[in-house]
Amino acid sequence: MTLSRLIAQFVRDHWRAYGVSALMLATVAALTASIPRQVGAMVDELAAGRLAGSALLQRLGVLLLVGAVIYFLRVGWRLQLFAASYQLGVQLRTQLYQRLCQQGPSFFQTQRTGDLMALATNDVDAVEMASGEAMLAGFDGSLTLVMVVAMMTLGVDWRLALAALLPFPFMALAFWHISEQIHRASKDSLQCFSRLNDHVQETLTGVRTLRALGLEARSAQTFAELAENAAAASLRAQRWEAAYEPAVGTALVSASVLTLSVGGYFVWQGELSIGTLTAFTMYLGQLIWPMFAAGWVLSLLERGRAAWSRLQPVLHTPLSIDDHGSVAAVTPGDLCFAGVQLRYPGQQQDALSELSFQLPAGQTLGIVGPTGAGKSSVVRLILRQYAPGAGSMTWNGVALHDYQLEALHGAISWVPQEPFLFSASVAANIGLSKADATRDEIENAARAACIHDEILRFPQGYETPVGEKGVTLSGGQRQRVAIARALLTDAPLLLLDDALSAVDTQTETQILNHLRDARRGRSVIIVSHRLSSVLDANHILVLQHARVTEAGTHADLVEQDHWYASQWRYQQLEASLAAD
Ligand code: ADP
């Protein structure tokens, strides 16, 4: 969709506000155009000595009244139109926000957070200005232009008007060139601002690492360069905007010179009265606004177009994961993978190949293997963050993509290795998964995740704020808060993606025991690099290089004496050394 289509659609949706504004504007233009004629007539009557005393006062009073009406109408249409154009900003921001919330991880892999934030602020502002300010200045300017030119040609003298308007086509040519340059410079400026935004966002997120590595000076230098580039790009755009003014000035001065030469000649010939020439010069003065408005409108539209060309692709990028499923509720059952293959976008090798397994309802599946083997990818597939290249994934006989995404996600509790905590209290963070959770339920979930006692020792207990992304908690505490959050719901499938990696083995065993006691028919998938996490699983898969290389129970795998058995011996030895 082009910017003009977007604005046209918006104007159609808000036709009432735009209509009322247009009516007010038309009245303003008509009243404004009537003033020079009245003044011209007054000059001629004054010169002829036909206007004096109360009649003069009355005519002046009318002029004052017209001025006052123009003032109020101008205020009125601005209020009407701006109120409507702000709606476009709200509409675009909401649309962008919703779209971003629906996108999957592969979309965010190609986008930068700072850039997206710049789109939601600067770029949306530019489009909003194009739909409000530019529309009204454009309408006002064109209406005034038509009225004034009509009055000049029909109401005064067409020959004089023709002479006066001669320089304007040249001005239009200059405007066209300037607006092209503004488009380019605006796009540059928006991109530079995005880069700056991105750097700030990334620096603030990784400020601890930056300090630990002593990279502050390098980062500050990069910032200074980016800020310099952003300022230079913005200046370039403004320099081109400033070029409108001399173009208007030159055209108007040339028009005035032509008017006075041709008009002076007509007066000398007795074909034109001085009053008419005065009125004409006043009309010429009234052309200043439409000319400036044209420059202003073009620059706003070019800025809007540049912003829209950045916004539109993000708004209209197809969702990285489709949500066309029709099954609105998940009935717990067996989870089956058959011949599943996954290759991440842009990668040369499969992350998963020929993966098949069956997880009966209420049972636990353990997935272990070396780093990079593809363990977390299984979880990502179940969550439908990525789509498989081949194979089928079903839950209770229904393909995962046939479920509505919301229903699927509602039936799964997922704890990633690095859980995200929001800047709220501990209780609020745990309660996120269940809107109506009582304090008792939250505390029980915390007990099951073995964090209740620690929370009680926090300064404000459950009401302790955890800071942005949970910075005030240790890695192990964050993981257990996230586990408590997952245990609070009765979702039929629990996915623990190395979710106990920062917890000591003893606490891990306790949590797993609680989990077993409170399972209530829930299926569990435990992805872990630590074999102690999957000891009691009904079935264990060993993944190596994207493929299942071993499968069975813990006892089976120890007996098989391959990777699992050697890892088990190694981890046992490590644990006994740590205990000594
Ligand atoms: P594990 O959980 O066993 O450590 P993963 O499932 O996270 O392994 O990753 C399997 C492979 O896929 C690795 O080689 C990893 O580099 C690659 N990979 C993981 N996520 C992505 C991604 N988003 N884009 C590209 N490659 C990825």
Side-chain angles (χ1 to χ4, degrees):
M1 191 195 274
T2 57
L3 178 67
S4 41
R5 269 197 168 187
L6 174 82
I7 296 179
Q9 190 179 324
F10 184 75
V11 171
R12 229 176 291 135
D13 292 346
H14 294 82
W15 65 271
R16 220 181 278 271
Y18 279 88
V20 172
S21 305
L23 209 66
M24 289 181 171
L25 256 165
T27 318
V28 168
L31 289 175
T32 312
S34 74
I35 293 176
R37 271 199 102 188
Q38 290 185 45
V39 173
M42 280 168 72
V43 168
D44 281 344
E45 284 179 50
L46 277 170
R50 274 185 274 123
L51 193 64
S54 62
L56 175 64
L57 281 179
Q58 201 181 345
R59 301 279 282 272
L60 286 173
V62 170
L63 276 181
L64 267 177
L65 189 69
V66 169
V69 172
I70 288 177
Y71 171 83
F72 285 110
L73 286 178
R74 278 194 186 281
V75 173
W77 61 250
R78 275 181 179 268
L79 288 180
Q80 279 281 325
L81 214 61
F82 282 130
S85 79
Y86 277 125
Q87 286 303 316
L88 181 62
V90 174
Q91 184 184 312
L92 282 176
R93 283 197 179 94
T94 312
Q95 216 178 324
L96 184 64
Y97 178 77
Q98 285 174 348
R99 196 72 184 169
L100 294 181
C101 287
Q102 287 169 332
Q103 285 291 6
S106 54
F107 170 84
F108 292 100
Q109 241 169 284
T110 57
Q111 300 286 338
R112 304 179 63 123
T113 316
D115 203 11
L116 294 175
M117 281 161 64
L119 284 181
T121 49
N122 261 16
D123 294 68
V124 170
D125 277 349
V127 174
E128 189 182 308
M129 290 282 278
S131 80
E133 194 99 10
M135 284 301 101
L136 71 85
F139 187 66
D140 187 14
S142 348
L143 209 65
T144 315
L145 180 73
V146 170
M147 295 264 187
V148 171
V149 171
M151 292 303 267
M152 280 169 128
T153 30
L154 306 174
V156 187
D157 191 304
W158 67 269
R159 294 163 306 168
L160 207 51
L162 203 65
L165 294 178
L166 264 181
F168 289 100
F170 297 100
M171 191 193 75
L173 221 65
F175 271 25
W176 176 74
H177 176 66
I178 295 169
S179 65
E180 292 264 292
Q181 300 301 327
I182 289 183
H183 179 79
R184 211 166 299 152
S186 298
K187 203 161 179 177
D188 264 7
S189 162
L190 289 167
Q191 260 155 6
C192 285
F193 179 78
S194 275
R195 267 180 236 131
L196 182 68
N197 219 18
D198 212 48
H199 179 76
V200 174
Q201 191 272 335
E202 204 165 58
T203 305
L204 292 182
T205 312
V207 72
R208 291 196 212 180
T209 314
L210 211 75
R211 282 215 198 101
L213 295 173
L215 294 174
E216 295 100 318
R218 203 192 294 178
S219 168
Q221 194 189 338
T222 313
F223 176 83
E225 281 166 17
L226 288 171
E228 182 64 40
N229 289 347
S234 171
L235 189 67
R236 257 197 315 279
Q238 278 173 15
R239 222 182 268 150
W240 278 110
E241 273 177 17
Y244 281 124
E245 219 170 296
V248 171
T250 314
L252 280 173
V253 167
S254 317
S256 299
V257 170
L258 285 168
T259 305
L260 287 178
S261 316
V262 178
Y265 174 76
F266 286 155
V267 171
W268 187 56
Q269 291 285 310
E271 290 183 31
L272 203 73
S273 75
I274 301 219
T276 314
L277 186 59
T278 309
F280 193 88
T281 343
M282 282 183 78
Y283 280 126
L284 208 55
Q286 284 191 352
L287 277 185
I288 295 180
W289 161 237
M291 295 306 121
F292 276 120
W296 176 227
V297 168
L298 280 177
S299 100
L300 286 180
L301 285 181
E302 289 309 334
R303 276 177 183 268
R305 246 171 23 97
W308 184 241
S309 71
R310 282 162 39 81
L311 256 171
Q312 207 231 5
V314 175
L315 280 175
H316 297 128
T317 306
L319 292 182
S320 53
I321 288 296
D322 66 76
D323 187 11
H324 303 316
S326 56
V327 185
V330 178
T331 327
D334 295 0
L335 179 72
C336 296
F337 269 46
V340 171
Q341 177 257 347
L342 168 70
R343 182 174 296 185
Y344 287 104
Q347 298 299 302
Q348 304 293 328
Q349 285 185 334
D350 286 350
L352 286 173
S353 206
E354 287 296 320
L355 177 67
S356 302
F357 66 81
Q358 181 160 11
L359 170 62
Q363 291 204 358
T364 299
L365 174 75
I367 303 179
V368 294
T371 310
K375 304 184 293 294
S376 301
S377 302
V378 180
V379 172
R380 289 183 203 125
L381 282 176
I382 297 173
L383 288 166
R384 293 206 54 222
Q385 292 178 352
Y386 291 88
S392 80
M393 307 184 299
T394 57
W395 193 0
N396 199 24
V398 178
L400 291 188
H401 62 255
D402 284 339
Y403 287 110
Q404 289 174 5
L405 261 188
E406 203 179 332
L408 183 70
H409 289 164
I412 299 174
S413 279
W414 167 50
V415 189
Q417 186 179 1
E418 284 166 19
F420 190 91
L421 300 195
F422 292 87
S423 30
S425 67
V426 181
N429 265 293
I430 297 177
L432 265 183
S433 57
K434 194 173 175 188
D436 54 353
T438 62
R439 175 50 71 92
D440 271 354
E441 286 175 316
I442 289 176
E443 290 190 12
N444 284 338
R447 277 193 197 95
C450 295
I451 188 147
H452 174 71
D453 296 338
E454 267 169 79
I455 295 176
L456 292 182
R457 287 198 292 275
F458 290 165
Q460 296 162 34
Y462 275 86
E463 295 313 317
T464 311
V466 300
E468 199 177 14
K469 294 187 197 156
V471 281
T472 59
L473 304 188
S474 73
Q477 286 169 338
R478 275 202 294 276
Q479 283 193 336
R480 280 173 293 151
V481 167
I483 289 174
R485 182 195 284 168
L487 295 182
L488 189 61
T489 67
D490 285 327
L493 178 61
L494 176 63
L495 302 177
L496 298 179
D497 187 358
D498 232 349
L500 296 162
S501 57
V503 175
D504 62 76
T505 333
Q506 209 180 340
T507 314
E508 178 192 35
T509 312
Q510 274 182 30
I511 296 175
L512 292 172
N513 287 341
H514 291 159
L515 201 63
R516 203 172 34 240
D517 297 342
R519 202 151 59 202
R520 293 189 296 251
R522 182 172 14 210
S523 308
V524 184
I525 293 183
I526 303 176
V527 168
S528 179
H529 69 282
R530 205 154 56 189
L531 305 189
S532 54
S533 306
V534 297
L535 273 187
D536 294 324
N538 303 90
H539 194 68
I540 302 168
L541 299 178
V542 177
L543 279 180
Q544 283 179 289
H545 305 298
R547 288 175 182 277
V548 176
T549 51
E550 297 166 56
T553 62
H554 170 74
D556 297 338
L557 294 171
V558 170
E559 206 173 301
Q560 283 174 20
D561 205 18
H562 296 305
W563 182 90
Y564 187 95
S566 68
Q567 277 296 307
W568 175 242
R569 283 196 294 274
Y570 176 77
Q571 289 184 10
Q572 287 283 84
L573 184 66
E574 204 177 39
S576 64
L577 287 176
D580 287 344

